[in-house]
Amino acid sequence: MKTIDELLAQGVDGKRVFVRADLNVPLDGTTITDDGRIRAVLPTIKALTAAGAKVVVASHLGRPKSDGDLALSLRPVAARLAELLGTSVAFAADTIGSEAHDAVNGLGPGEVAVIENLRFQPGETSKDPAARAELAARLEALADVYVADGFGAVHRTHASVYELPRRMPAYAGYLIAGEVGVLKKLTDDVRRPYVVVLGGAKVSDKLGVIDHLLEKADRILIGGGMAYTFLKAKGHEVGMSLLQEDQIPACLEYLARAEKRGVEFVLPVDVLVSSEFPDLKTKAPANPATVGAEAIPADQEGLDIGPRTRELYAAKLADAATVFWNGPMGVFEHPDYAEGTKAVAQALVDSPAFTVVGGGDSAAAVRILGFDENAFGHISTGGGASLEYLEGKTLPGLAALED
């Protein structure tokens, strides 16, 4: 995989460089609520502009139902990018049409343009390779060189992620090179004890990574909605908590494999419960109760790990040399159910281990809960991509850079 440093060594002055970023940021209307993914691509963009490149930034945003879904326009992203770069950024209101070409043709060395949401084009996510190839050919006309720097999208076989880099000189940007380097530390020559913390809503979302990490980890801590299916598998009552009945056999298999391999598999011992899901808009007080994880009342729903579990998990993380965390411990968006996720984050901050926050909601939680991002070894920009890498899967966007 060739990197941006090799490209810069060849010289990019006056060249049009297509940077496929992942600027899929959360929006409240037109207000960006977390600009972490924009800031993550700044080193690559700044290095290219400093070397005189004409930089064409492209990304997806959300899942638009139609071309021109203004609620998912990249215009607010372009404005925020301009603020962070401290310079003007041109914005093209289309992706492959006249406005995109005019914006690119109007660039001088060291200048930046953002083209509109790639997913406004059906060919971007089409399951038809011919449709994706057709879009890639039209995107190719906008640039001379391709730089991949959207790690959060490399597990997708999309036109701008897979087909386009196979058509033109392609390099990995600083973000992708850094992400791959970090993830290799979680798969090759891992420092031990290696502790994995998994949360989030569904066991089914984490089946592959649990299966793979049972061969790698020394200890696995489970939280979030997925914990209740494991608790049910052990014969506990989980009340109205999120439950995937069809995944109970898989949970039983993982628990048995963990015991056989000597992997410590840790489940919550107490949880915060309520008869109603909290209001995440008003953040009205929810007044949760704490109950033992072995017998959640029939009319209650588990929404966070409890205080004894927080202490237990902090203790299980204290001696770690390597930690990977993906998924919140509860409904962290509400202050009454944020303490479990906050406790895990604080344990990682306090740990001398090499700590990796695996993107997605975990990365958002770190920022929303006010932690210093520099206190962690690495915060990934790609939740799904990180998990698939750890599962041992081939990621199309990375494979395209090897061609």
Side-chain angles (χ1 to χ4, degrees):
M1 185 169 65
K2 293 180 291 186
T3 68
I4 186 175
D5 284 332
E6 295 173 72
L7 172 62
L8 293 171
Q10 297 168 19
V12 292
D13 189 23
K15 288 187 177 180
R16 301 170 303 163
V17 180
F18 188 101
V19 176
R20 200 333 181 160
D22 176 12
L23 307 179
N24 187 27
V25 295
L27 291 170
D28 181 4
T30 59
T31 301
I32 297 168
T33 58
D34 181 358
D35 66 359
R37 288 185 172 180
I38 304 174
R39 289 185 285 109
V41 78
L42 290 179
T44 289
I45 295 175
K46 287 181 176 179
L48 290 168
T49 55
K54 301 175 181 180
V55 179
V56 183
V57 180
S59 177
H60 68 285
L61 178 61
R63 292 183 171 88
K65 293 182 173 62
S66 63
D67 187 355
D69 182 353
L70 294 182
L72 294 174
S73 171
L74 281 172
R75 190 179 294 274
V77 174
R80 180 57 179 152
L81 178 60
E83 292 174 355
L84 292 170
L85 288 173
T87 187
S88 61
V89 170
F91 177 72
D94 62 23
T95 307
I96 51 177
S98 60
E99 288 204 33
H101 283 272
D102 288 346
V104 173
N105 292 337
L107 292 176
E111 295 182 342
V112 180
V114 173
I115 61 175
E116 187 55 286
N117 192 339
L118 288 163
R119 289 187 181 172
F120 284 176
Q121 298 296 321
E124 171 68 0
T125 59
S126 175
K127 293 182 180 179
D128 180 0
R132 297 198 306 268
E134 181 181 353
L135 176 58
R138 298 190 67 179
L139 290 170
E140 183 184 10
L142 296 173
D144 307 304
V145 182
Y146 179 98
V147 171
D149 219 32
F151 183 73
V154 294
H155 59 314
R156 307 294 188 190
T157 309
H158 290 171
S160 65
V161 175
Y162 182 65
E163 271 79 14
L164 184 56
R166 297 168 69 206
R167 300 179 64 94
M168 58 198 306
Y171 301 81
Y174 290 126
L175 173 59
I176 280 187
E179 293 272 14
V180 171
V182 165
L183 290 172
K184 283 184 176 179
K185 292 182 181 180
L186 300 179
T187 54
D188 305 330
D189 299 321
V190 182
R191 292 172 53 210
R192 298 186 180 280
Y194 178 18
V195 183
V196 175
V197 185
L198 296 176
K202 297 179 179 179
V203 173
S204 56
D205 293 340
K206 304 287 196 319
L207 286 176
V209 74
I210 295 173
D211 183 73
H212 197 71
L213 289 174
L214 278 171
E215 307 297 319
K216 300 277 186 181
D218 299 299
R219 191 178 298 149
I220 298 176
L221 316 182
I222 301 291
M226 63 185 291
Y228 303 104
T229 303
F230 277 101
L231 290 169
K232 184 69 172 180
K234 294 196 72 172
H236 300 323
E237 295 300 324
V238 297
M240 298 191 303
S241 305
L242 185 62
L243 175 64
Q244 289 185 285
E245 292 267 8
D246 62 326
Q247 299 301 326
I248 288 176
C251 290
L252 287 169
E253 179 194 343
Y254 291 148
L255 290 168
R257 280 178 57 195
E259 183 175 5
K260 183 177 180 180
R261 292 190 56 81
V263 177
E264 192 177 359
F265 208 99
V266 189
L267 298 175
V269 294
D270 63 345
V271 297
L272 299 188
V273 299
S274 175
S275 59
E276 295 182 354
F277 196 84
D279 189 326
L280 299 183
K281 288 188 177 181
T282 66
K283 307 291 176 71
N287 301 315
T290 302
V291 301
E294 72 284 351
I296 299 172
D299 63 344
Q300 301 287 304
E301 177 181 8
L303 296 167
D304 192 16
I305 58 174
R308 287 192 295 127
T309 305
R310 290 176 225 148
E311 292 182 5
L312 172 65
Y313 284 13
K316 296 295 184 182
L317 289 163
D319 67 343
T322 303
V323 180
F324 174 71
W325 171 35
N326 180 276
M329 298 293 99
V331 187
F332 73 91
E333 300 91 341
H334 192 285
D336 288 345
Y337 301 105
E339 291 303 317
T341 301
K342 190 181 294 184
V344 167
Q346 187 62 56
L348 266 63
V349 169
D350 295 340
S351 172
F354 175 61
T355 57
V356 178
V357 180
D361 285 342
S362 307
V366 163
R367 290 187 278 268
I368 290 170
L369 297 175
F371 286 91
D372 180 358
E373 295 179 50
N374 294 321
F376 302 88
H378 179 73
I379 297 180
S380 177
T381 57
S386 296
L387 290 177
E388 291 198 15
Y389 188 99
L390 292 180
E391 287 176 41
K393 291 184 177 179
T394 297
L395 305 186
L398 298 184
L401 299 178
E402 302 285 356
D403 289 349

